[in-house]
Amino acid sequence: MYLVPLYFVPGPFVLYFAMIKFPVPDDSCEYFDKEHETMTREQIETLQVERLRETVQRCMNNPIYKQRLEEAGVTPESINSVADIRRIPFTTKADLRDNYPFGLSCVPLRECVRLHSSSGTTGNPTVILHTQNDLDEWANQVARNLWMVGLRPDDVFQNSSGYGMFTGGLGFQYGAERLGMLTVPAAAGNSLRQIKFMKDFGTTALHAVPSYVTRLYEVMQEQGVDPRRDTKLKVLAIGAEPHSEEQRQRIQNMLGVKAYNSFGMSEMCGPGVGFECKEQNGLHFWEDYYIVEIVDPETLEPVPDGEIGELVLTSIKREAMPLLRYRTRDLTRVLGRTCPCGRNHVRIDRMKGRSDDMMVLRGVNIFPIQIEKILMNFKELASNYLITLTTDQENDNMTVEVELEELFTDDYGRLESLRKEVTRQLKDEILLTPIVKLVPKGTLPVSEGKAVRVVDKRTVYQ
Ligand code: AMP
Ligand code: ZN
């Protein structure tokens, strides 16, 4: 694809020829990878069929996939349209766990150059292998995203995300380098140092989980640092954990810059799978790399665009461990398939949550994000909150603890009426009455990685 010849002449009669993969486009170009980013729907589907065939062929190298595909009567030649993907059986996290660590690999281990392991948001580890090409393509996806929101080689990119097994660190690192920015691999935590780096190195773009960005801002306030005045920040990439639109707005207001939602998961590579463009009207999922389906989690049948269902992804350009129809457990919907930015890659709504994050309390289904969006609308409340579920005399209860903005008030009457109003609005949203506790700022635990929003202490799990 990006193979372009580069000629240069160091001596008068010598012509050297080199092949450069993934060149960085001209600064003025709107797209990092124009050819793929601006494909028409027809072109996307033609490429998807071709790559799905190749992927099925590749999966035949793996005995587990081979047996499943044979049982379903699927061969590469039998795939003639994107809809044919529905003939392929689903893959689940349990498949990865049952075949831990390398059982779903499609290449010999000697062809792999890295693995990432995810404890997942929900338990046992899974392992994902990468060939060098997988890593190159992954970096290309991330570079594409960062370019899309206006970052260029002159920018300074600080990655305040955990490095190591968590893909947010190395994933963004290689992508930002591919784009050609000066990178600051600050990793997560140590907020004072983060702020010093931002000021000293002229950081213009920051990547972190949303809950950490709010923490960073609190430390800035404590230190008398005004991000608008004292930093050169212009873009934030936030993701890796569910967050509400209200939380995003709050982050944008705090730091005075646009915050773009970034979706990724280790099983597909890591960050880079989906990212918002400047329109901020949903995440473009890169359909030259993935086939995106939204299915009803019960019937596993596709749901119409606009309806919420489970996100199912098939990686169609990966070598070491492509996943066929992987059930992500993330709940979302298709918002559209065109965009004023010129990219026709499907636009996916921000995640409503994971089906395994759903709390069932007295028969009512509740997602943490429903609670977050109410809390974030109160300017008297800070950004950190914790939901605790308990059983008291056979009744399940929910307690929502939320930190107060420091400068608000210590007037008991005002606090009590605020607490009542928060309780009322939460009840309207989740249809049952939680116990609301307003606590001083800095009381609730802060995580450097993905925030833990729910603690389930119920004696009988539902
Ligand atoms: P991991 O593989 O450990 O990075 O976890 C991937 C999971 O993180 C996804 O399946 C989602 O549940 C969650 N996640 C990642 N990015 C986002 C995002 N932008 N919004 C909501 N959830 C996200
Ligand atoms: Zn767009």
Side-chain angles (χ1 to χ4, degrees):
M1 41 193 253
Y2 289 94
L3 293 176
V4 292
L6 174 80
Y7 301 92
F8 59 98
V9 187
F13 305 110
V14 191
L15 176 71
Y16 279 92
F17 176 79
M19 299 298 276
I20 290 201
K21 219 180 170 195
F22 305 116
V24 175
D26 177 58
D27 270 16
S28 63
C29 182
E30 216 175 307
Y31 306 98
F32 185 76
D33 177 357
K34 188 163 187 210
E35 180 196 343
H36 290 98
E37 288 177 55
T38 59
M39 284 189 299
T40 61
R41 175 66 25 203
E42 204 187 340
Q43 287 168 331
I44 288 176
E45 291 193 0
T46 306
L47 186 62
Q48 285 186 326
V49 169
E50 186 188 306
R51 289 188 173 172
L52 180 60
R53 281 188 186 147
E54 286 165 10
T55 301
V56 166
Q57 183 67 59
R58 175 173 290 279
C59 287
M60 292 291 190
N61 296 334
N62 176 283
I64 298 156
Y65 269 136
K66 186 167 192 283
Q67 188 186 351
R68 287 188 186 180
L69 289 166
E70 279 173 359
E71 278 168 13
V74 179
T75 58
E77 305 74 46
S78 70
I79 291 167
N80 295 307
S81 69
V82 178
D84 279 338
I85 197 168
R86 292 188 211 142
R87 296 175 33 234
I88 298 177
F90 290 96
T91 311
T92 62
K93 197 156 194 127
D95 291 321
L96 285 169
R97 287 187 185 138
D98 294 348
N99 297 291
Y100 175 87
F102 305 137
L104 285 188
S105 166
C106 291
V107 297
L109 268 191
R110 69 181 307 278
E111 287 180 29
C112 299
V113 296
R114 197 197 298 166
L115 65 77
H116 278 277
S117 168
S118 160
S119 55
T121 21
T122 46
N124 291 333
T126 51
V127 165
I128 299 295
L129 292 164
H130 301 261
T131 64
Q132 186 57 53
N133 273 343
D134 290 336
L135 296 183
D136 288 344
E137 296 289 356
W138 179 13
N140 188 53
Q141 286 168 247
V142 174
R144 197 189 267 192
N145 293 342
L146 297 174
W147 189 280
M148 177 163 74
V149 294
L151 297 176
R152 297 293 180 268
D154 285 337
D155 280 293
V156 179
F157 183 85
Q158 184 165 328
N159 192 13
S160 306
S161 164
Y163 279 67
M165 287 301 195
F166 176 55
T167 51
L170 291 176
F172 267 95
Q173 180 66 33
Y174 282 87
E177 285 176 9
R178 165 65 47 77
L179 194 156
M181 290 186 280
L182 171 62
T183 57
V184 183
N190 198 341
S191 305
L192 288 177
R193 201 177 61 139
Q194 300 278 356
I195 296 165
K196 182 171 167 50
F197 285 168
M198 285 165 79
K199 292 199 313 190
D200 293 354
F201 303 148
T203 299
T204 57
L206 180 83
H207 166 245
V209 292
S211 49
Y212 188 62
V213 177
T214 56
R215 174 68 196 142
L216 211 53
Y217 178 68
E218 285 171 7
V219 179
M220 282 183 182
Q221 279 185 309
E222 286 161 20
Q223 299 298 312
V225 173
D226 174 354
R228 290 174 173 81
R229 185 193 61 207
D230 303 325
T231 75
K232 294 189 176 147
L233 260 191
K234 65 176 196 193
V235 165
L236 285 179
I238 53 170
E241 66 185 14
H243 55 286
S244 56
E245 178 58 35
E246 288 74 7
Q247 170 87 301
R248 183 245 287 278
Q249 295 294 345
R250 193 173 253 239
I251 287 174
Q252 294 192 149
N253 291 337
M254 284 171 172
L255 295 174
V257 295
K258 292 266 184 208
Y260 296 99
N261 191 355
S262 163
F263 176 88
M265 65 190 318
S266 318
E267 294 93 321
M268 292 297 126
C269 64
V273 178
F275 208 89
E276 282 178 325
C277 67
K278 285 184 177 173
E279 304 289 328
Q280 294 188 313
N281 58 358
L283 301 122
H284 283 292
F285 269 54
W286 298 120
E287 294 186 84
D288 50 333
Y289 286 105
Y290 308 99
I291 295 179
V292 179
E293 297 172 86
I294 310 280
V295 303
D296 179 319
E298 302 290 320
T299 64
L300 300 181
E301 289 301 317
V303 300
D305 284 3
E307 245 176 58
I308 289 184
E310 181 178 337
L311 175 69
V312 171
L313 295 173
T314 300
S315 41
I316 49 174
K317 189 103 187 25
R318 286 181 47 78
E319 293 179 343
M321 241 175 176
L323 290 176
L324 297 175
R325 303 195 83 199
Y326 186 67
R327 290 189 60 186
T328 66
R329 305 277 168 187
D330 289 310
L331 299 173
T332 185
R333 61 187 175 146
V334 170
L335 291 179
R337 294 172 194 274
T338 56
C339 183
C341 76
R343 297 171 181 88
N344 298 313
H345 294 258
V346 63
R347 284 186 292 110
I348 297 291
D349 202 0
R350 67 177 54 253
M351 303 297 136
K352 185 177 153 71
R354 296 174 60 79
S355 49
D356 10 27
D357 288 343
M358 191 176 77
M359 304 172 273
V360 184
L361 204 76
R362 301 186 212 159
V364 183
N365 299 346
I366 307 163
F367 286 94
I369 212 153
Q370 290 175 272
I371 295 179
E372 178 181 296
K373 80 174 189 192
I374 299 292
L375 300 179
M376 292 301 130
N377 276 330
F378 286 88
K379 64 176 187 331
E380 300 90 339
L381 302 180
S383 303
N384 204 4
Y385 67 95
L386 183 68
I387 302 164
T388 308
L389 307 178
T390 48
T391 312
D392 307 309
Q393 293 166 355
E394 294 186 12
N395 271 335
D396 285 343
N397 282 320
M398 174 189 287
T399 303
V400 177
E401 289 171 278
V402 55
E403 292 185 359
L404 282 164
E405 268 305 336
E406 227 151 21
L407 302 173
F408 172 51
T409 181
D410 54 4
D411 174 338
Y412 178 77
R414 279 187 71 194
L415 283 178
E416 188 51 19
S417 58
L418 173 65
R419 197 187 63 75
K420 282 191 178 140
E421 182 56 17
V422 174
T423 311
R424 191 189 66 74
Q425 290 197 22
L426 284 174
K427 185 184 175 211
D428 279 357
E429 173 68 32
I430 63 175
L431 306 178
L432 48 85
T433 312
I435 301 161
V436 173
K437 291 186 181 165
L438 307 180
V439 301
K441 206 169 194 174
T443 325
L444 298 175
V446 191
S447 144
E448 283 173 7
K450 300 184 189 221
V452 178
R453 298 298 195 192
V454 182
V455 178
D456 196 338
K457 294 183 178 167
R458 286 177 293 181
T459 37
V460 184
Y461 291 88
Q462 305 204 24

